[in-house]
Amino acid sequence: MISMTSKDFLELPIADLIISSEKVAHVQLGNNAEHALLVLTKTGYSSIPVLDTQYCLHGLLSMRMITESILGLDHIEFEKLNDIKVDDIMDKKVATLNIHDKFQKALDLVINHAFLCVLDNEEKFVGIMTRRVILKQLKKYIYQISY
Ligand code: 2BA
C-alpha cells in the first residue's frame, strides 16, 4: 500500500465523499412547518437543508426550530403549524463547502456542525458532507499510519 502523508491526507478532494443532492432529505422554501415536521419525522434526521426550486441553499431547519415556533405560554399551539413558513423559522447561517475544497476545510468545520452543505461554483447545492463520512476517512488514515 502506498502510504499517505498527513499533508496528502488533508489535501484530499472532498468531491468523492459527498452524499449527492438527490439522496439528501430537504424541505423547500415556502413549505409550511407541518410539512417540514413530517419530513423530519419520517426521515429521522434532526436537521435538514432548505432549498428553493433551483436548488439554491437558503438555510437549515431542525425539529427544535419548529417546536420553538409553536411554543405558547402554557401549551404547544399545534394549530399554528399550517400557517408558519420554513422561511421564517430556518437558520440562515449555514456552514458550507465548495465542491473543490480539500478535506482539511471539512475537518475544521465539522467540529461545530454535524454536516456541511456543499455548493458548486454557481452556488448551487450539490449535496452534503457528514460527520460520519469525515470520521470514517480519518479512521482509515489513522489505521494506515499506525500499522
Ligand atoms: P442527525 O440526524 O442528528 O444524525 C446523527 C447521526 O445518526 C448520523 O450522523 C447518522 O450516523 C445517524 N443517523 C441519523 N438518522 C439516520 C438515518 N435515517 N439513516 C442512517 N443513519 C442515521 P451523520 O451520518 O454524520 O449525519 C450528520 C447529520 O447530517 C445528521 O444528523 C443529519 O442532520 C444530516 N444528514 C445526514 N444524512 C442526511 C440525508 N441523507 N438527508 C438529510 N440530512 C442528512
Side-chain angles (χ1 to χ4, degrees):
M1 189 205 292
I2 303 166
S3 71
M4 209 187 262
T5 65
S6 54
K7 186 170 180 293
D8 293 339
F9 175 69
L10 292 171
E11 286 183 357
L12 282 175
I14 62 157
D16 297 339
L17 303 171
I18 290 167
I19 298 177
S20 61
S21 56
E22 64 271 17
K23 293 187 186 143
V24 177
H26 70 274
V27 285
Q28 254 182 34
L29 212 59
N31 282 164
N32 65 29
E34 185 174 15
H35 175 77
L37 185 62
L38 278 175
V39 176
L40 285 165
T41 307
K42 286 274 180 207
T43 59
Y45 295 119
S46 54
S47 173
I48 54 175
V50 181
L51 308 176
D52 65 21
T53 51
Q54 307 302 307
Y55 266 67
C56 287
L57 175 69
H58 290 262
L60 296 184
L61 192 80
S62 69
M63 199 66 101
R64 186 186 55 79
M65 291 167 201
I66 298 178
T67 316
E68 270 186 356
S69 74
I70 55 170
L71 262 192
L73 280 181
D74 56 4
H75 72 292
I76 297 177
E77 299 168 342
F78 289 106
E79 64 282 2
K80 278 187 168 176
L81 280 173
N82 210 14
D83 300 324
I84 297 168
K85 295 269 177 271
V86 296
D87 322 25
D88 299 324
I89 57 172
M90 67 187 180
D91 185 357
K92 293 180 183 156
K93 292 191 296 292
V94 189
T96 60
L97 291 169
N98 176 278
I99 185 86
H100 300 298
D101 279 336
K102 308 288 184 220
F103 193 81
Q104 182 164 17
K105 183 160 181 204
L107 196 54
D108 289 343
L109 288 174
V110 86
I111 290 168
N112 291 320
H113 305 276
F115 69 99
L116 308 163
C117 290
V118 184
L119 309 178
D120 67 14
N121 289 343
E122 278 76 49
E123 299 282 299
K124 288 276 159 67
F125 176 82
V126 290
I128 59 173
M129 194 161 174
T130 63
R131 197 173 266 169
R132 180 169 188 269
V133 167
I134 293 171
L135 284 175
K136 270 175 79 176
Q137 283 301 118
L138 195 58
K139 177 182 162 187
K140 225 162 90 179
Y141 173 68
I142 291 169
Y143 278 30
Q144 177 239 290
I145 57 170
S146 308
Y147 301 106

